[in-house]
Amino acid sequence: MKALILNSGLGSRMGVLTSEHPKCMTEISAHETILSRQLKQIADAGIEEVVITTGYYDGVLVNYCNSLDLPLNFTFVKNPIYDQTNYIYSIYCAKDYLDDDIILMHGDLVFEHEVFDRVLASPVSCMTVSSTLPLPEKDFKAVVRDGMVMKVGVEFFNEAMEAQALYKLLKDDWKVWLNKIVEFCENDKRKVYAENALNELEGAANIHALDVENLLCSEIDNPEDLAIVTAKLKEIESRTVYMCFASDIIHGGHIAIIKKAQKLGKLIIGVLSDEAVASYKRMPLVPASERKLMFENIAGVYKVVDQDTLSYRANLEKYKPSIVVHGDDWVTGFQRPIRDEVTDILATYGGKLVEYPYSSDPKYAEIDARTRSDLAMPDIRRGRLKRMLDAKGLVTAMEAHDGLTGLIVENTVVHQEGGAHQFDAMWISSLCDSTAKGKPDIELVDMTSRFRTIEDITEVTTKPIIFDGDTGGKTEHFVYTVRSLERLGVSMVIIEDKTGLKKNSLFGTEVVQTQDTIENFSAKIKAGKKAQRTKEFMICARIESLILEQGMEDALTRAFAFAEAGADAIMIHSRKKDPSEIQEFIEKFRAKDQTTPIVLVPTSFNSVTEDEWKERGANIIIYANQLMRAEVPAMQKAAETILQNHRAEECDAMLMPFKDIIRLIPAEV
Ligand code: SPV
Ligand code: MG
């Protein structure tokens, strides 16, 4: 595709403005002329070849074009009798350079980017017209029939629309018109418009009318036109455009939409906070501060700001952008409420929402899949729990005891209020891991087998893992466990301050259980911290004082001592239904220690919501066994139903079709 710009004329109606250069070099803003703007638009569109017809002040014009330093190859064609002919003859002079699809424009035309984008995107030959502007008395009008331009001239008022000489001409259509231009010029009809030749073709050049309505697309004939166009351009250039990004990689699809948005005005990019991203998809690989830097370094981005919530409200109210740009993927689905809020806010001040088709290019899906598989890698998975804790303040974990439950924790999402709620992490419970193997929870299942469970889960998931390390075993063994867990990509091990034959805490004092001494357990924590090789791995000390009815004071004394010994977090446990002893512990612990994360397993004291725990100062909520407790009765019921009926038919209603179960299993993680 080539651009053809007609610049042979003088533009005598511009008065002194054209006393030293051709009209196209008239300034339309502090930083551009009609021609420099056209050429930048052409270069931005990726067109490289520009044919410019010249006449008056051709030397000035050629020097000027070259001085702009744009990635364009110019062919200048001088009309030797520019003062005796019209531009039809300039085109004739340039005809040997025009064997291509052509973007044709008059040299005095100013149009906004959206107009040019629409012209370029047209799959057919077209001319810009306006169905909304009044018909000009002396300027071009197009006679439009069934969407086709039949004639163009100043004299047509019937079936006519205001028209501007900005055309996209496909090679074959252009050839038809060009041949007619040649015929005219060779028959000495050189003082007419090129459109006079077009009009004789009666629609044979297949030019469609492209209605740009009120968008800026105007020629500048005199100082009054110049004042109007300059003012409109100023208004267009002061428009701000807002987009929000959550992604931690920038690929070609993002750049394409950013480029489009930039053409609509000054682009402000909101970077979604880590917490907000984590709340609807996953913890970003790249923290918000780094993501901001990436966007700040994209050419032409006006400003990069924080967006702290999924809702756009705060930023729309602060920056009042004229336009919000988004992919059309949020028209349906869980983001719909966010979109509705955006349209409501924009309506309050006359802002506009522009939606572009969401790119479903498989190469971007592949990049996403690759990022996902990176998330599963031990080094990347391990550090995410700590980052999530920093970003979100409160993290939730759900129990998983095999690959399938891991997938359920990984993929279960509930959409609420424009957000997507999901578990942040996985808990590998000693109780459920043992139970899944039909064994009691007494540290009977050895570490090698427990590690196998971890691997089954890590093979098919990406979320961070909190591992139930029971008592941690002997200190001499625990140091090995720490390193093995680090290698497996586990983020945190929780060890409890019990010794001897450990039994599950939910038995409380119904069974004999011995609590370790503060000294011994502190030494175990210290040894574990010393042994760990990665900086993000966390060791959490679990205090059993309330379970073993040793009192609040004992629990607090231990908590402070274990934090002092280097524990990265404290888990306080209770088997009471009433949450008040846990609440009291948090309050008293937080009075002295505001930073060490507090971990809770609210199996018994399950009436308090996550938000309330967060408010009170808890940081990790572990749902320790609910998936297993859901599956066991369901399995028993199915088994009984078959036994009762001596066949499986009655059981069907309570079963999920296997094709739905298979959907949980990824082809590749
Ligand atoms: C587990 O899930 O194995 C636990 C938590 O240790 S609890 O069962 O509540 O003791
Ligand atoms: Mg346990």
Side-chain angles (χ1 to χ4, degrees), residues 427 429-432 441 468 496 504-506 542 573 601 603 624-625:
W427 164 242
S429 146
S430 66
L431 175 63
C432 298
D441 181 21
D468 179 355
E496 56 197 271
N504 184 269
S505 301
L506 300 175
R542 162 172 168 175
H573 206 14
V601 179
T603 308
N625 51 39

Short mmCIF file of all heavy atoms in Angstrom, two decimals, residues 427 429-432 441 468 496 504-506 542 573 601 603 624-625, ligand 1:
data_model
loop_
_atom_site.label_atom_id
_atom_site.label_comp_id
_atom_site.label_asym_id
_atom_site.label_seq_id
_atom_site.Cartn_x
_atom_site.Cartn_y
_atom_site.Cartn_z
N TRP A 427 -3.35 -26.93 51.73
CA TRP A 427 -2.89 -27.47 53.03
C TRP A 427 -2.77 -28.97 52.87
O TRP A 427 -3.74 -29.65 52.50
CB TRP A 427 -3.93 -27.11 54.09
CG TRP A 427 -3.89 -27.84 55.42
CD1 TRP A 427 -4.87 -28.63 55.93
CD2 TRP A 427 -2.87 -27.79 56.42
NE1 TRP A 427 -4.54 -29.09 57.17
CE2 TRP A 427 -3.30 -28.58 57.50
CE3 TRP A 427 -1.62 -27.15 56.50
CZ2 TRP A 427 -2.54 -28.76 58.65
CZ3 TRP A 427 -0.86 -27.33 57.66
CH2 TRP A 427 -1.31 -28.12 58.71
N SER A 429 -2.65 -31.85 54.92
CA SER A 429 -2.96 -32.21 56.29
C SER A 429 -2.42 -33.60 56.63
O SER A 429 -2.54 -34.53 55.82
CB SER A 429 -4.49 -32.18 56.41
OG SER A 429 -4.97 -33.17 57.29
N SER A 430 -1.87 -33.74 57.83
CA SER A 430 -1.44 -35.09 58.22
C SER A 430 -2.67 -35.97 58.43
O SER A 430 -2.66 -37.16 58.11
CB SER A 430 -0.59 -35.04 59.50
OG SER A 430 -1.39 -34.62 60.59
N LEU A 431 -3.74 -35.38 58.96
CA LEU A 431 -4.95 -36.15 59.22
C LEU A 431 -5.53 -36.71 57.91
O LEU A 431 -5.81 -37.91 57.80
CB LEU A 431 -5.99 -35.24 59.92
CG LEU A 431 -7.37 -35.85 60.16
CD1 LEU A 431 -7.28 -37.05 61.10
CD2 LEU A 431 -8.31 -34.80 60.76
N CYS A 432 -5.67 -35.85 56.92
CA CYS A 432 -6.31 -36.31 55.68
C CYS A 432 -5.36 -37.17 54.86
O CYS A 432 -5.79 -38.12 54.20
CB CYS A 432 -6.81 -35.12 54.87
SG CYS A 432 -8.06 -34.20 55.77
N ASP A 441 -3.81 -40.90 62.33
CA ASP A 441 -2.98 -39.69 62.24
C ASP A 441 -1.99 -39.64 63.41
O ASP A 441 -2.10 -38.81 64.31
CB ASP A 441 -3.94 -38.47 62.25
CG ASP A 441 -3.21 -37.14 62.14
OD1 ASP A 441 -2.06 -37.13 61.65
OD2 ASP A 441 -3.80 -36.11 62.53
N ASP A 468 1.67 -29.86 56.65
CA ASP A 468 1.50 -30.22 58.07
C ASP A 468 2.64 -31.17 58.44
O ASP A 468 2.66 -32.34 58.04
CB ASP A 468 0.12 -30.91 58.21
CG ASP A 468 -0.16 -31.35 59.64
OD1 ASP A 468 0.72 -31.23 60.50
OD2 ASP A 468 -1.30 -31.82 59.87
N GLU A 496 4.04 -28.85 65.34
CA GLU A 496 3.32 -28.61 66.59
C GLU A 496 4.19 -28.98 67.80
O GLU A 496 5.03 -29.88 67.72
CB GLU A 496 1.99 -29.36 66.60
CG GLU A 496 2.10 -30.85 66.38
CD GLU A 496 0.75 -31.47 66.00
OE1 GLU A 496 0.03 -31.85 66.93
OE2 GLU A 496 0.44 -31.59 64.80
N ASN A 504 -4.03 -36.84 66.86
CA ASN A 504 -4.66 -35.66 66.26
C ASN A 504 -5.24 -34.75 67.33
O ASN A 504 -5.85 -35.20 68.30
CB ASN A 504 -5.76 -36.10 65.28
CG ASN A 504 -6.34 -34.90 64.57
OD1 ASN A 504 -7.30 -34.32 65.01
ND2 ASN A 504 -5.71 -34.53 63.47
N SER A 505 -5.08 -33.43 67.13
CA SER A 505 -5.51 -32.44 68.12
C SER A 505 -7.00 -32.48 68.39
O SER A 505 -7.46 -32.05 69.45
CB SER A 505 -5.14 -31.04 67.64
OG SER A 505 -3.77 -30.97 67.43
N LEU A 506 -7.77 -32.92 67.42
CA LEU A 506 -9.22 -32.89 67.60
C LEU A 506 -9.66 -33.86 68.70
O LEU A 506 -10.76 -33.77 69.22
CB LEU A 506 -9.94 -33.13 66.27
CG LEU A 506 -9.60 -32.08 65.19
CD1 LEU A 506 -10.23 -32.43 63.86
CD2 LEU A 506 -9.99 -30.67 65.61
N ARG A 542 3.28 -24.32 65.91
CA ARG A 542 1.87 -24.54 66.28
C ARG A 542 1.80 -24.82 67.78
O ARG A 542 2.50 -25.71 68.28
CB ARG A 542 1.34 -25.70 65.45
CG ARG A 542 0.08 -26.34 65.97
CD ARG A 542 -0.42 -27.33 64.94
NE ARG A 542 -1.45 -28.19 65.47
CZ ARG A 542 -2.12 -29.08 64.73
NH1 ARG A 542 -1.84 -29.22 63.44
NH2 ARG A 542 -3.04 -29.83 65.27
N HIS A 573 -4.24 -23.25 68.08
CA HIS A 573 -5.33 -24.16 67.76
C HIS A 573 -6.29 -24.30 68.94
O HIS A 573 -5.90 -24.11 70.10
CB HIS A 573 -4.75 -25.53 67.37
CG HIS A 573 -5.65 -26.30 66.46
ND1 HIS A 573 -6.71 -25.74 65.79
CD2 HIS A 573 -5.63 -27.61 66.08
CE1 HIS A 573 -7.31 -26.65 65.05
NE2 HIS A 573 -6.68 -27.81 65.20
N VAL A 601 -6.85 -22.70 62.23
CA VAL A 601 -7.52 -23.82 61.58
C VAL A 601 -8.94 -23.88 62.16
O VAL A 601 -9.21 -24.63 63.11
CB VAL A 601 -6.75 -25.14 61.80
CG1 VAL A 601 -7.49 -26.31 61.15
CG2 VAL A 601 -5.34 -25.05 61.24
N THR A 603 -11.75 -25.33 62.28
CA THR A 603 -12.62 -26.48 62.00
C THR A 603 -13.78 -26.48 62.99
O THR A 603 -14.95 -26.62 62.60
CB THR A 603 -11.83 -27.79 62.14
OG1 THR A 603 -10.66 -27.70 61.34
CG2 THR A 603 -12.65 -28.99 61.69
N ALA A 624 -9.06 -27.30 57.02
CA ALA A 624 -8.11 -28.41 57.14
C ALA A 624 -8.62 -29.76 56.65
O ALA A 624 -7.82 -30.64 56.36
CB ALA A 624 -7.65 -28.55 58.59
N ASN A 625 -9.92 -29.95 56.58
CA ASN A 625 -10.37 -31.32 56.27
C ASN A 625 -11.74 -31.40 55.59
O ASN A 625 -12.29 -32.48 55.44
CB ASN A 625 -10.38 -32.16 57.56
CG ASN A 625 -11.15 -31.44 58.67
OD1 ASN A 625 -12.17 -30.82 58.43
ND2 ASN A 625 -10.62 -31.53 59.88
C1 SPV B 1 -4.47 -31.75 60.21
O1 SPV B 1 -5.27 -31.37 59.36
O2 SPV B 1 -3.87 -32.80 60.10
C2 SPV B 1 -4.24 -30.94 61.40
C3 SPV B 1 -5.23 -29.97 61.81
O3 SPV B 1 -3.24 -31.13 62.01
S1 SPV B 1 -6.23 -30.70 62.98
O4 SPV B 1 -6.75 -31.92 62.42
O5 SPV B 1 -7.27 -29.76 63.32
O6 SPV B 1 -5.39 -31.00 64.13
#
